[in-house]
């Protein structure tokens, strides 16, 4: 197993490098870069500039120096008309865009290898500090959502497999299909209208992970307040999240139940409970348990964006979204590097979980 882990760790290097190269190249051709964002703020056109992002009318190459920047209609930047070339050059230098693209990329990757992610262009804070500040919100949503989905899906999937074709199986499948069909953001809006003072009841808070003055509360009140704020966001994310895992658990159990070793165990006189949880469960849960890291990463970094926006939760999803809108390159690439690295590491953790659940699985005998 150690040889396999070593190969996977070595393979992470070109994978991570390739992902960063592709995204860096793509960003060079996207209009509305940080220089244009700064010019929009200077000229009071920040809103319209943001709205024009993606309009395709201008772009930054980041490879020209101060001498190539003109004023008037031939400027490379929207909003630079009438501004002195020296000012444009100073802004380029401030953002490091006075260097060629390949130099900026190599410098960025060299800093990232030292885990130096630089400072945000527009928030006057380091990228590392921004990520650390927003991490509790995203970890809370991702971890609790993933745990709740697994706690619901595995018992429900086992029950459906044991009662395959019965009325219970049909009705639960109908509920699962309906829950999976409802978009999470629509359910979140509905929950706000019903239970957060939107129109009917005012039982749950509308925004934030904790109340003001949370630090001064006794520890038991802190716990209650924390879960009080998480109730509606978690409910909106969990309802549509357990359909695929439930069906995966059911199908895994049905496949194992029909195998010869189960028939032999029953023929020996073992109870149904012993057969299911002593023999079938370990084999059927391989693919389910091993998928936990990937499920957590998916919820942590992608699935919670709209939930964070709707419930005003200042997490990593909202941070990345705002960085993409404002072309805050240090935040964009810094979080991309961290999330990709974490995803690759959790992929290895998933393989280790396969081995822990069933030691007979030996990745050393396989090619990566």
């Amino acid at each position: 197993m150690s040889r396999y882990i070593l190969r996977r760790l070595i393979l992470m290097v070109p994978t991570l490098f390739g992902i960063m190269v592709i995204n860096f190249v793509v960003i060079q051709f996207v209009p509305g870069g940080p220089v244009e964002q700064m010019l929009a703020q200077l000229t009071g056109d920040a809103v319209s500039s943001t709205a024009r992002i993606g309009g395709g009318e201008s772009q930054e190459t980041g490879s020209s120096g101060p001498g190539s920047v003109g004023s008037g209609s031939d400027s490379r930047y929207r909003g630079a008309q009438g501004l002195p070339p020296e000012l444009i050059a100073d802004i380029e230098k401030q953002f490091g865009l006075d260097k060629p693209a390949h130099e900026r990329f190599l410098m960025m990757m060299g800093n990232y290898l030292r885990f130096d992610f630089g400072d945000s262009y527009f928030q006057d804070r380091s990228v590392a500090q921004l990520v650390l500040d927003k991490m509790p919100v995203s970890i809370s949503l991702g971890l609790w959502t993933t745990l709740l989905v697994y706690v619901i899906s595995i018992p429900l999937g086992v029950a459906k497999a044991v009662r395959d074709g019965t009325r219970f199986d049909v009705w639960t499948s109908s509920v699962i299909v309906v829950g999976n069909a409802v978009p999470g953001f629509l359910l979140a809006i509905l929950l706000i209208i019903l239970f957060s003072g939107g129109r009917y009841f005012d039982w749950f808070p509308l925004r934030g992970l904790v109340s003001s003055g949370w630090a001064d509360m006794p520890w038991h009140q802190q716990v209650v307040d924390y879960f009080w704020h998480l109730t509606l966001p978690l409910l909106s994310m969990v309802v549509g999240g357990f359909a695929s895992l439930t069906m995966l658990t059911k199908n895994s159990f049905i496949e194992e139940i029909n195998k010869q070793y189960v028939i032999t165990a029953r023929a020996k006189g073992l109870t149904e409970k012993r057969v299911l949880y002593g023999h079938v469960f370990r084999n059927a849960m391989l693919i389910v348990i091993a998928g936990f890291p990937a499920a957590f990463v998916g919820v942590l970094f992608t699935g919670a964006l709209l939930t964070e926006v709707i419930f005003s939760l200042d997490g990593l999803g909202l941070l990345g979204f705002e960085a993409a809108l404002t072309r805050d390159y240090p935040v964009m690439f810094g979080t991309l590097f961290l999330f990709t690295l974490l995803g690759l590491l959790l992929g290895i953790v998933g393989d280790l979980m396969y081995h822990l659940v069933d030691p007979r699985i030996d990745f050393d005998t396989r090619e990566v």
Side-chain angles (χ1 to χ4, degrees):
M1 196 66 182
S2 58
R3 291 171 50 198
Y4 172 77
I5 295 175
L6 180 61
R7 292 200 302 267
R8 287 291 300 270
L9 290 174
I10 294 175
L11 186 61
M12 283 174 52
V13 177
T15 303
L16 182 58
F17 185 81
I19 292 174
M20 296 300 297
V21 167
I22 292 173
N23 283 272
F24 186 86
V25 171
V26 170
I27 286 298
Q28 304 313 303
F29 298 95
V30 176
V35 174
E36 291 193 12
Q37 298 293 322
M38 179 62 71
L39 293 176
Q41 293 181 15
L42 293 175
T43 58
D45 194 30
V47 174
S48 59
S49 174
T50 303
R52 286 194 297 263
I53 290 175
E57 300 184 20
S58 64
Q59 69 182 50
E60 295 175 17
T61 63
S63 59
S64 57
S68 64
V69 179
S71 60
S73 61
D74 61 342
S75 175
R76 292 182 300 116
Y77 303 114
R78 177 190 292 273
Q81 290 79 5
L83 296 177
E86 295 79 10
L87 175 62
I88 308 298
D90 289 341
I91 295 175
E92 284 186 323
K93 186 174 181 180
Q94 175 185 345
F95 292 140
L97 298 176
D98 57 331
K99 301 180 177 64
H102 68 278
E103 290 187 13
R104 289 188 281 117
F105 178 77
L106 293 176
M107 185 182 303
M108 179 184 72
M109 292 304 297
N111 292 333
Y112 285 2
L113 290 178
R114 301 191 302 270
F115 289 94
D116 178 10
F117 301 105
D119 298 327
S120 168
Y121 284 162
F122 304 108
Q123 301 192 48
D124 196 26
R125 300 176 65 189
S126 68
V127 175
Q129 188 61 49
L130 284 172
V131 171
L132 290 175
D133 287 347
K134 317 232 179 243
M135 188 71 77
V137 173
S138 294
I139 288 182
S140 295
L141 290 174
L143 183 60
W144 289 115
T145 298
T146 308
L147 287 175
L148 287 173
V149 166
Y150 268 72
V151 168
I152 295 172
S153 299
I154 292 178
L156 183 58
V158 173
K160 287 174 64 64
V162 174
R163 300 171 177 83
D164 185 37
T166 64
R167 185 174 297 178
F168 171 81
D169 183 36
V170 173
W171 279 104
T172 52
S173 295
S174 301
V175 174
I176 288 173
V177 169
V178 172
N180 190 50
V182 178
F185 70 93
L186 286 182
L187 180 59
I189 294 174
L190 177 62
L191 291 174
I192 289 176
I193 294 174
L194 293 177
F195 303 112
S196 194
R199 187 168 184 178
Y200 298 97
F201 305 102
D202 191 8
W203 292 348
F204 296 95
L206 182 59
R207 62 182 67 243
L209 188 62
V210 293
S211 301
S212 58
W214 181 83
D216 299 326
M217 298 179 183
W219 69 267
H220 60 278
Q221 290 186 11
Q222 290 180 339
V223 172
V224 172
D225 183 79
Y226 170 73
F227 284 106
W228 182 48
H229 282 75
L230 276 179
T231 299
L232 295 187
L234 287 181
L235 186 59
S236 66
M237 296 178 66
V238 167
V239 167
F242 62 86
S244 59
L245 185 60
T246 300
M247 299 310 297
L248 178 62
T249 304
K250 175 188 173 181
N251 294 334
S252 297
F253 258 78
I254 291 177
E255 182 181 356
E256 293 295 324
I257 287 173
N258 294 326
K259 289 185 176 180
Q260 185 62 43
Y261 75 91
V262 177
I263 299 176
T264 302
R266 286 170 174 166
K268 289 181 178 180
L270 296 180
T271 63
E272 191 68 15
K273 184 176 180 180
R274 178 74 180 276
V275 171
L276 287 176
Y277 297 101
H279 294 76
V280 175
F281 187 83
R282 184 178 67 176
N283 296 325
M285 286 296 100
L286 276 174
I287 190 172
V288 176
I289 295 176
F292 184 89
F296 174 66
V297 170
V299 174
L300 181 62
F301 299 136
T302 60
L305 172 58
L306 290 177
T307 302
E308 290 180 6
V309 173
I310 293 172
F311 289 98
S312 300
L313 298 172
D314 196 9
L316 293 174
L318 188 59
L319 174 67
F321 177 71
E322 292 177 345
L325 285 181
T326 60
R327 303 297 192 266
D328 196 342
Y329 290 167
V331 176
M332 290 173 59
F333 290 118
T335 53
L336 175 65
F337 182 88
L338 285 173
F339 298 165
T340 304
L341 179 62
L342 181 59
L344 292 172
L345 290 173
L346 287 178
I348 300 177
V349 173
D351 291 340
L352 290 175
M353 293 182 70
Y354 269 119
H355 182 71
L356 291 175
V357 173
D358 190 349
R360 295 172 297 176
I361 297 178
D362 185 10
F363 290 99
D364 282 336
T365 60
R366 297 184 176 186
E367 295 293 332
V368 178

